[in-house]
Amino acid sequence: HIFSWFWTFTEILISTGILIFVSKKENPTISSRQIFLIVTLLLAVQATKLALASTISPLSMIIPPALIISQGMGSITALAWVSIASFIWPDPGVAINNNLFFILLFFSSVVSILGGKIRSRAQLLQLSIFVPIGSFLSQWILIGKDKTSLINNQDFVLANENIFSDSLLLAIVMLFTILFIPIFESIFGLLTKARLLELADKEKPLIRRLSLEAPGTFGHTL
C-alpha cells in the first residue's frame, strides 16, 4: 500500500513537472497564475475521473480544458496536457473501450491544435458545434456498430441514446467553456488571439486616436 502511494505520488510529480516544462518552453514568459491554472485543471480532471468516470463521457472531461489551454497558452502545451490527463494518473481517461479512447485522443488533439490558431469567438462557437457532431458520428460508427454484433437491437437503441447524450453533454460543456474563457482571461492573465483582435479593434477610441495622431506608432502597436 505504501509502495502504491509512493508510486502515485512520484507519477504526479513527474507528470506535473513535464507539463510545466513544456508550458515554459512554449511560453517563456508564462506566469505563476497560468501554471496554477493548468495544474488545477489537471487535478480537476483526475478528481472527476475518480468520482464520475462511470457516469460521464471522457470527452466532456478532457476536451473543454484543452480548449482553454490551447487558447491561452498554445497548442503544444494543450497537447502535453491532453496526453497527461488522458493516459496516466490516477487512471486512463477510458479504461474499457479502445475505440472511445482513440476518439478521445483524436478530438482532443484537434481541439488543441485548432484552439491555438482560432482568432475569433465565432470560430470557437463553430468548433463547439462541429466537434460534438464529429464525436457523435465517430462513436456511432466505431462503437455503436460494434455493439450491434454483440447485443440485440433494443440494446443498440439504448447505446445510441447514451452516445447522443454524451455528445450533447460535450456540446453544452464546450459552450459554457467558451462563455467562461473571458473570465479565465481576466483571472489568470491569458492573452488569446481573440482577445488580441478585440484589443486591436480600430473602433476603440484610443486606437482610433492613435491611428490619427501617430500612425507609425499605431502600426507598431498592431
Side-chain angles (χ1 to χ4, degrees):
H1 180 73
I2 294 176
F3 178 78
S4 176
W5 178 88
F6 178 77
W7 172 251
T8 303
F9 180 73
T10 304
E11 193 175 29
I12 294 170
L13 287 180
I14 293 174
S15 59
T16 305
I18 292 173
L19 183 58
I20 293 173
F21 174 78
V22 172
S23 63
K24 285 190 173 182
K25 277 291 185 180
E26 186 174 18
N27 307 279
T29 59
I30 190 171
S31 67
S32 57
R33 286 185 298 168
Q34 293 164 357
I35 292 175
F36 177 77
L37 172 63
I38 58 176
V39 173
T40 300
L41 289 173
L42 184 61
L43 287 169
V45 167
Q46 304 308 324
T48 306
K49 282 183 192 178
L50 293 174
L52 302 172
S54 60
T55 59
I56 189 172
S57 169
L59 282 78
S60 300
M61 290 190 287
I62 304 292
I63 292 179
L67 180 61
I68 295 172
I69 295 171
S70 64
Q71 275 280 287
M73 284 163 275
S75 296
I76 296 175
T77 301
L79 288 170
W81 186 93
V82 164
S83 300
I84 292 171
S86 301
F87 280 107
I88 59 175
W89 168 75
D91 294 305
V94 182
I96 300 175
N97 194 297
N98 291 330
N99 287 335
L100 184 55
F101 195 68
F102 169 77
I103 293 169
L104 167 66
L105 291 180
F106 176 79
F107 282 101
S108 57
S109 298
V110 168
V111 168
S112 298
I113 293 171
L114 294 182
K117 298 179 179 179
I118 283 177
R119 297 171 61 88
S120 70
R121 310 289 186 193
Q123 290 175 327
L124 283 176
L125 184 60
Q126 292 172 359
L127 189 66
S128 71
I129 294 173
F130 288 120
V131 167
I133 292 174
S135 70
F136 171 75
L137 294 176
S138 300
Q139 289 182 77
W140 187 81
I141 293 171
L142 296 178
I143 300 173
K145 289 189 175 181
D146 286 346
K147 291 184 177 181
T148 58
S149 62
L150 300 174
I151 54 182
N152 60 45
N153 290 332
Q154 183 179 1
D155 289 335
F156 176 61
V157 172
L158 294 175
N160 272 338
E161 288 179 354
N162 290 334
I163 291 172
F164 178 78
S165 299
D166 287 347
S167 301
L168 181 61
L169 176 62
L170 174 60
I172 293 172
V173 174
M174 287 192 70
L175 286 173
F176 273 100
T177 300
I178 293 172
L179 290 175
F180 282 107
I181 281 180
I183 298 176
F184 283 104
E185 290 173 349
S186 176
I187 296 175
F188 297 100
L190 301 180
L191 195 59
T192 64
K193 288 183 172 62
R195 177 59 177 157
L196 283 173
L197 287 175
E198 290 171 358
L199 291 173
D201 183 4
K202 294 180 182 179
E203 294 303 314
K204 291 184 178 295
L206 184 60
I207 296 293
R208 189 187 309 115
R209 180 183 171 191
L210 189 64
S211 66
L212 295 174
E213 298 182 10
T217 303
F218 170 74
H220 287 299
T221 301
L222 292 183

